[in-house]
Amino acid sequence: MADIKKVGWIGTGVMGSSMAGHLADKGFQMQVYTRTKAKAQALLDKGATWAESPAKAAEGADIVFAIVGFPKDVEEVFLGGNGVLAGLGKGGICCDMTTSSPALAARIAEEAQRKGCVSLDAPVTGGDVGARNATLSIFVGGDAAAFEKAKPCFEAMGKKLMHCGAPGTGQKAKLANQVAVAGVMFSVCESLLFAQEAGLDVAQWLELVAAGAAGSAAMNGLGRRMLIRDFKPGFFIDHFVKDLGLCLEECRRMGIVLPATTLAESFYRMLQLRNRGSDGTQAVIEVLAELSNKKWKEHK
Amino acid sequence: MADIKKVGWIGTGVMGSSMAGHLADKGFQMQVYTRTKAKAQALLDKGATWAESPAKAAEGADIVFAIVGFPKDVEEVFLGGNGVLAGLGKGGICCDMTTSSPALAARIAEEAQRKGCVSLDAPVTGGDVGARNATLSIFVGGDAAAFEKAKPCFEAMGKKLMHCGAPGTGQKAKLANQVAVAGVMFSVCESLLFAQEAGLDVAQWLELVAAGAAGSAAMNGLGRRMLIRDFKPGFFIDHFVKDLGLCLEECRRMGIVLPATTLAESFYRMLQLRNRGSDGTQAVIEVLAELSNKKWKEHK
């Protein structure tokens, strides 16, 4: 296949704007669409052109990336009347980087094939910091040749790539990651609440424990934010509930039961029921404490 | 207080033999007692003298350490008819390094005080490797002056010390650590089973994920052992069930509910019910898979 020159980009949230920025910096021509035009301004300033719809962003592009909110947004962006597949030329590549449904990814791949195009699902991990520093990990499902062709773009955005297999497997790899994140975060909360109620110096305790067998990225990162009751979002609870819902749906489809993930999902939904969907995932320690009629305190 | 010259040592299992060895190497005089005399031979070869009972090991010692199996062993070793407190002179220090009950630690401290002695509870983390390399973390509860006096001994065995507060708080800090370990290990298992059933290259997936937000000491260590179905014990399931039982007992006492710890404890007990108490804690992935009528496979 020929090299990629022109890219379409859809979605300029916290993740998307940084990721697209790296592509623009590498000299890819870019056509950008997003719901709120003002959020595309930084990209337009880097020379991207504005597109009035996903279909327009796809016209003449070699590849179109999207990173939006929820599976229904992904469906609209790729398969809708003004969606990417309505505008993309034959041989073009659709690439959804949203964490979304594996089944939807497979459906988009089928629709793409029907139009002479090809599709990749390529969700990422690494958060806002990884997006900013181009150190994301990217899990890619779909056609191997398209993956090779898209590699220079992925390498502009991330540090580690994994081609996982058939369409949807990129999403499955990301969901498996979220299963691990959910459980480890919950264990950090339980251990911190235990330490608090035991009357320990929780901050000092965390220093010791984080370096040992109980240590984790979650304990070192979000655990420390919990200590100072910083519940600002690194990752929104609303998005995590979406991800965990997809995990559980996939568990049903695969015929497995994951009790700790099921448990964690319940707790994140409890936060939504308390209108805390816009808090960061680390706020789950507050509802865990509330469950026992306790209050999570500040520990300096 | 005067410096420590003579120590008693009780318990020469995987942890205890390494830890006592470091003290002997530092030149402390040592009186050793353990259930199976042959297991003390390495210490006797280093110049330690054999004691026929915990009481004898305590006679004339400035401090007596014990690291044994279960709280009932701790009770027998310190409070029994031939126990440490029956032999220890006034001003001597008892120091239990077993992971044991905070309430029992408080009781031993009371009994010690009644005899003009003082007691510390000082459980450790870092496992067999930490014991061998003298890189343990040590959580210490009990009298601050006794902690200061015992410091040279602790520093011979470990790298990080935390004086946690009153008698029993060392145990509480260790149990909080076990809460975190239980949850993180369980989350590793759930994510690996998800990845397997999704048909991913599980070993490659783990490489990517272990470096990110889902990463943990458990994923990097025991997760990799799970991949090759290595269930040899770094830490025995039987001991972990003991620890988690103590955690849940303490939760009841403190009036908190920790659902993920409760869940994990159930799974480790399911392993005991399958006669796998002598396997390593990472074997929990097998019973998790069995729950869904799946089989955990080897992934190279």
Side-chain angles (χ1 to χ4, degrees):
Chain A
M1 297 192 204
D3 285 352
I4 285 172
K5 293 202 180 68
K6 190 184 273 191
V7 310
W9 191 277
I10 295 152
T12 52
V14 175
M15 300 293 291
S17 52
S18 294
M19 292 157 70
H22 295 307
L23 288 183
D25 291 343
K26 290 275 177 193
F28 292 101
Q29 295 170 50
M30 186 176 289
Q31 302 174 154
V32 60
Y33 168 79
T34 197
R35 267 191 309 211
T36 311
K37 189 175 175 181
K39 290 193 178 175
Q41 196 55 53
L43 290 173
L44 301 178
D45 293 346
K46 284 181 194 265
T49 59
W50 176 248
E52 287 294 341
S53 69
K56 292 279 183 199
E59 276 177 16
D62 301 303
I63 188 166
V64 184
F65 296 96
I67 182 159
V68 293
F70 294 85
K72 64 174 173 40
D73 303 315
V74 172
E75 189 172 357
E76 178 69 21
V77 157
F78 285 97
L79 306 178
N82 284 311
V84 169
L85 282 177
L88 193 62
K90 269 196 203 298
I93 304 172
C94 308
C95 183
D96 181 28
M97 304 190 81
T98 320
T99 297
S100 173
S101 151
L104 177 57
R107 227 181 91 211
I108 294 170
E110 275 171 35
E111 292 292 327
Q113 196 177 17
R114 197 163 302 160
K115 306 219 166 186
C117 300
V118 61
S119 171
L120 298 171
D121 48 295
V124 304
T125 67
D128 52 340
V129 176
R132 210 157 46 238
N133 300 336
T135 56
L136 296 169
S137 291
I138 311 180
F139 303 102
V140 189
D143 185 73
F147 170 70
E148 287 302 325
K149 185 169 173 178
K151 231 181 197 176
C153 297
F154 292 139
E155 286 169 347
M157 298 185 267
K159 217 171 55 174
K160 292 186 178 178
L161 307 182
M162 176 177 173
H163 184 239
C164 303
T169 54
Q171 294 297 349
K172 290 178 189 176
K174 172 64 190 284
L175 294 180
N177 181 79
Q178 300 305 72
V179 164
V181 168
V184 69
M185 176 98 71
F186 205 81
S187 81
V188 169
C189 293
E190 290 203 349
S191 67
L192 285 175
L193 181 63
F194 189 108
Q196 171 183 289
E197 294 304 313
L200 299 170
D201 179 329
V202 181
Q204 196 193 346
W205 175 87
L206 185 132
E207 280 310 317
L208 244 78
V209 164
S216 61
M219 186 175 277
N220 277 299
L222 296 177
R224 286 176 207 281
R225 292 204 205 173
M226 291 175 202
L227 289 185
I228 55 169
R229 293 180 46 81
D230 169 5
F231 299 125
K232 288 192 293 291
F235 193 66
F236 288 120
I237 284 164
D238 280 342
H239 286 159
F240 204 45
V241 168
K242 178 256 294 180
D243 291 3
L244 293 180
L246 292 168
C247 291
L248 295 181
E249 195 181 309
E250 200 55 25
C251 284
R252 272 187 209 93
R253 211 198 53 72
M254 300 190 299
I256 61 172
V257 175
L258 299 184
T261 305
T262 307
L263 183 72
E265 196 258 0
S266 307
F267 272 78
Y268 285 103
R269 288 206 289 113
M270 288 182 221
L271 281 156
Q272 282 186 317
L273 297 173
R274 284 156 180 74
N275 294 316
R276 299 192 63 176
S278 301
D279 277 353
T281 49
Q282 70 276 23
V284 70
I285 195 163
E286 296 222 299
V287 69
L288 179 72
E290 183 195 328
L291 189 83
S292 300
N293 284 323
K294 306 291 185 200
K295 182 141 180 53
W296 175 245
K297 297 169 193 143
E298 196 170 4
H299 298 278
K300 285 191 173 173
Chain B
M1 295 192 203
D3 285 350
I4 285 173
K5 293 202 181 68
K6 189 184 273 193
V7 309
W9 191 276
I10 295 153
T12 53
V14 174
M15 300 294 290
S17 53
S18 293
M19 293 157 70
H22 295 307
L23 289 183
D25 291 343
K26 289 275 177 192
F28 291 101
Q29 296 170 50
M30 185 175 290
Q31 302 175 155
V32 60
Y33 168 80
T34 196
R35 268 191 308 209
T36 312
K37 187 175 176 181
K39 290 193 178 175
Q41 195 55 51
L43 290 173
L44 300 178
D45 292 346
K46 283 180 194 267
T49 59
W50 176 250
E52 286 293 340
S53 69
K56 292 279 181 196
E59 275 177 17
D62 300 302
I63 187 167
V64 184
F65 295 98
I67 182 159
V68 293
F70 295 84
K72 64 174 173 40
D73 304 315
V74 172
E75 188 172 358
E76 177 68 23
V77 157
F78 285 98
L79 306 178
N82 284 311
V84 169
L85 283 176
L88 192 63
K90 268 196 206 298
I93 304 171
C94 309
C95 182
D96 180 28
M97 303 191 81
T98 318
T99 297
S100 172
S101 151
L104 176 57
R107 227 181 91 210
I108 293 170
E110 275 171 33
E111 291 293 326
Q113 196 177 20
R114 196 162 304 157
K115 304 218 168 185
C117 299
V118 62
S119 172
L120 299 171
D121 48 297
V124 304
T125 68
D128 51 342
V129 175
R132 211 156 45 235
N133 300 335
T135 56
L136 296 168
S137 291
I138 310 179
F139 303 102
V140 189
D143 185 75
F147 169 71
E148 287 303 324
K149 185 169 173 179
K151 230 181 198 175
C153 297
F154 291 138
E155 286 170 348
M157 297 184 267
K159 216 170 57 175
K160 292 187 177 178
L161 307 181
M162 176 178 174
H163 184 238
C164 303
T169 55
Q171 294 296 349
K172 290 179 189 176
K174 171 66 189 286
L175 294 180
N177 180 78
Q178 299 305 73
V179 164
V181 167
V184 71
M185 175 99 70
F186 205 80
S187 80
V188 169
C189 293
E190 290 203 348
S191 67
L192 285 175
L193 181 63
F194 189 108
Q196 171 183 288
E197 294 305 312
L200 300 171
D201 179 330
V202 182
Q204 196 192 348
W205 175 87
L206 185 132
E207 280 310 317
L208 244 79
V209 165
S216 61
M219 186 175 276
N220 277 299
L222 296 177
R224 287 176 206 281
R225 292 203 205 174
M226 290 176 204
L227 289 184
I228 55 168
R229 294 180 46 81
D230 170 5
F231 300 126
K232 288 192 293 290
F235 193 65
F236 288 119
I237 284 165
D238 279 343
H239 286 159
F240 205 45
V241 169
K242 177 255 294 181
D243 290 4
L244 293 180
L246 292 168
C247 290
L248 295 181
E249 192 181 311
E250 199 57 26
C251 283
R252 274 188 208 93
R253 211 198 51 73
M254 299 192 297
I256 61 172
V257 175
L258 299 184
T261 305
T262 307
L263 184 71
E265 195 258 359
S266 306
F267 272 78
Y268 284 103
R269 286 204 291 113
M270 288 181 221
L271 281 157
Q272 283 186 317
L273 297 173
R274 284 155 178 75
N275 293 315
R276 299 191 62 176
S278 301
D279 277 351
T281 48
Q282 70 274 23
V284 70
I285 194 162
E286 295 224 298
V287 70
L288 179 71
E290 183 195 326
L291 189 81
S292 300
N293 283 325
K294 306 291 185 202
K295 178 134 183 60
W296 174 245
K297 297 169 194 142
E298 196 169 3
H299 298 277
K300 284 193 171 170

